[in-house]
Amino acid sequence: MVSNSIGQHLEKVRQINPLIHHITNYVSVNDCANIALQLGALPVMADAVEEVEEMVSLAGALVLNIGTLNKRIVDSMLKAAKKANELSIPVILDPVGCGATSYRTQTTLRLLEEVRVTVLKGNAGEIGTIAGLEAEVRGVESGNVTGDLVQAGQKLAARLGAVVVVTGATDLILSPSGAATVSNGHPFLGRITGTGCMAATAVAAFSAVAEDAFAASVSALACFGVAAELAAYSNPSGPLSFKTAFLDAIAALQPDQVTNLAKIAYI
Amino acid sequence: MVSNSIGQHLEKVRQINPLIHHITNYVSVNDCANIALQLGALPVMADAVEEVEEMVSLAGALVLNIGTLNKRIVDSMLKAAKKANELSIPVILDPVGCGATSYRTQTTLRLLEEVRVTVLKGNAGEIGTIAGLEAEVRGVESGNVTGDLVQAGQKLAARLGAVVVVTGATDLILSPSGAATVSNGHPFLGRITGTGCMAATAVAAFSAVAEDAFAASVSALACFGVAAELAAYSNPSGPLSFKTAFLDAIAALQPDQVTNLAKIAYI
Amino acid sequence: MVSNSIGQHLEKVRQINPLIHHITNYVSVNDCANIALQLGALPVMADAVEEVEEMVSLAGALVLNIGTLNKRIVDSMLKAAKKANELSIPVILDPVGCGATSYRTQTTLRLLEEVRVTVLKGNAGEIGTIAGLEAEVRGVESGNVTGDLVQAGQKLAARLGAVVVVTGATDLILSPSGAATVSNGHPFLGRITGTGCMAATAVAAFSAVAEDAFAASVSALACFGVAAELAAYSNPSGPLSFKTAFLDAIAALQPDQVTNLAKIAYI
């Protein structure tokens, strides 16, 4: 039943073409724009304080990604997200590198305090840091996390009133009322830059059309992982060939295909 | 005769290797640099107020693209463009997302007022907005435009003393004294991010070498569209494979090939 | 013996996975991140003055690339590099476009004065400018240089107490006590944007693990050039296909393969 809804969510993204407003880093921004388009959404990147409120008002979801943050951008994030809250537009926060520097950690905590985040999506190190576990973060890469991430993540979700997504070989989707895993994907996703950022864009696109953020996150990550598997079947000659094949697979993804191939478990 | 000149323009870009100074967004900037190189031009991206006058003085054309504008960048655009005007260096303005937010619309109008623009290139929504038509702009995507875009665009061209280019399935090239359409291209161009920005770079490269901006715009868009058609013939497995094939096709484009395949009409 | 060490250096990058902190331009930043990953290093891009000292403290090397410099970024570069000096972390400076504008030249000279640079890597025009030769720089492309670049570069190396790398068809690696050439590579490297920046990332990754910066630079450029040759063997249909093949070749590079194919001469 739920995996039927994945295909329906994907169809809805393609029918509605939600505008996804990104305030994001300059490393993976082109990839985020392209995955939004391949899913059927419309990306827009706008970070000027003069326009973010107006831009987010047109959007179906807002992505905040702190990958290359600075003071100007953080001010714009706060302004955009408050407007999104006012208009009940989903806010997806990707706390890239949270835990690596105190500026990233403090900015993440400030955003979570001043803004109602709909989905908090990070890797184990980033989410572990926010949840108060001992976590290692090397730059923007996840390291070891000590403790029960599922339990800590679910507590965090309850405290924030948000869905908490932990991406990895098996993705965790945690909410106060339920939890799921998605075990689609391929190791190549870890060999290229920007896949975490692209996953946040996918979650945003589905959040703009789905009935709730938990279902949206599950569907988005299943589509993401299934596309990676299909791309790997095409036998790419390396990680960068895989990247092209992955985005092409997103574009070609069929609703019933993702329904059939999704590996979702509710825990 | 004119389509002969397309091939000649392309040859000239490859002989002269004009430097194209970009002040542009951080989403498609890598693609703009690569299309400039594949055409035979030299791209340079420089947006610091301290250096834009000196950099543009070395250039064959200046591209102003407001895709991710902010106050600092707009100041640099004004400074660079005034210097370009002083030196009679062509200025190509790409008003990305004009109409979506008042900041983008006002910045576009300010640039058009304070600077002499050689070519104004946008999609239907952006140009419609500037021309005073009712136009829908969703983020940076064109929506419906009500009214006669050819007539309004030609009036705008006369008022600005500029060439107005409207990209789409059929491109419009409008000047006070004439108008043309280019109907080359492929739907895949609409499926990847940055193709509009790349088209502006192409127009800039040709403007740096051609006898006038109208002829340069026609030639640039014909080369762009023909390369898209040739890339599609290679049967790419999706939009991102197409993107690679498209840039490779630009690199391989032969002058007589583009002369033969160009679909230009003067209206 | 030395070419054996190339393979060993590559193996070490893959074992240690050094974090490479970049303060770099927004044009080629994604490519730099990807080449770091394909070599086995971990890239992180962080330019906020609030965090650069903390980030560089975690890093194995720091890349400073002035491709799209501005005042904010230059302040961060100085702060990060001084911290790196304090901690004996190698600093790789890529003076992109030095010579094209006085802002770039002065910023380069200021960085070289205030900071101890481990490796200065540029094209002939950039290094020629710094070394006081008559050099032409068109935007970010190298032009003609008058004079003996090897001699001038070696003097510069002695004055700076740094390794000076001049990339080109034949790369020069110059130090006060020795000099080498690497003649691997392929003309396609000059047909796409960002290869110079990627070479700096490679030098940084090897500098983080090798016994000294001279050996690191030789190994990095040999790996870079051998990967380009292997990519060209796959018969790419143009420069952008080559780019994908090149990064895939970096990922697949075997230590003994690079040891066998490296074309290094000590001069």
Side-chain angles (χ1 to χ4, degrees), chain C residues 145-214:
Chain C
V145 177
T146 310
D148 186 335
L149 195 56
V150 173
Q151 198 184 34
Q154 237 168 338
K155 264 192 203 168
L156 179 64
R159 180 156 60 81
L160 298 173
V163 174
V164 171
V165 171
V166 187
T167 52
T170 296
D171 303 314
L172 300 172
I173 300 95
L174 308 170
S175 87
S177 57
T181 59
V182 174
S183 41
N184 297 100
H186 193 273
F188 267 144
L189 288 172
R191 295 291 308 279
I192 49 174
T193 193
T195 47
C197 307
M198 288 194 265
T201 295
V203 169
F206 282 75
S207 295
V209 304
E211 61 283 11
D212 67 71
F214 180 77

Side-chain angles (χ1 to χ4, degrees), chain A residues 188-250:
Chain A
F188 268 143
L189 288 173
R191 295 290 308 280
I192 48 173
T193 193
T195 48
C197 307
M198 286 195 265
T201 296
V203 169
F206 283 75
S207 295
V209 304
E211 60 284 11
D212 66 72
F214 180 77
S217 299
V218 171
S219 292
L221 294 167
C223 285
F224 199 86
V226 167
E229 292 169 10
L230 296 171
Y233 290 146
S234 75
N235 207 18
S237 56
L240 273 292
S241 296
F242 167 80
K243 178 180 165 180
T244 299
F246 170 63
L247 286 164
D248 283 350
I250 293 275

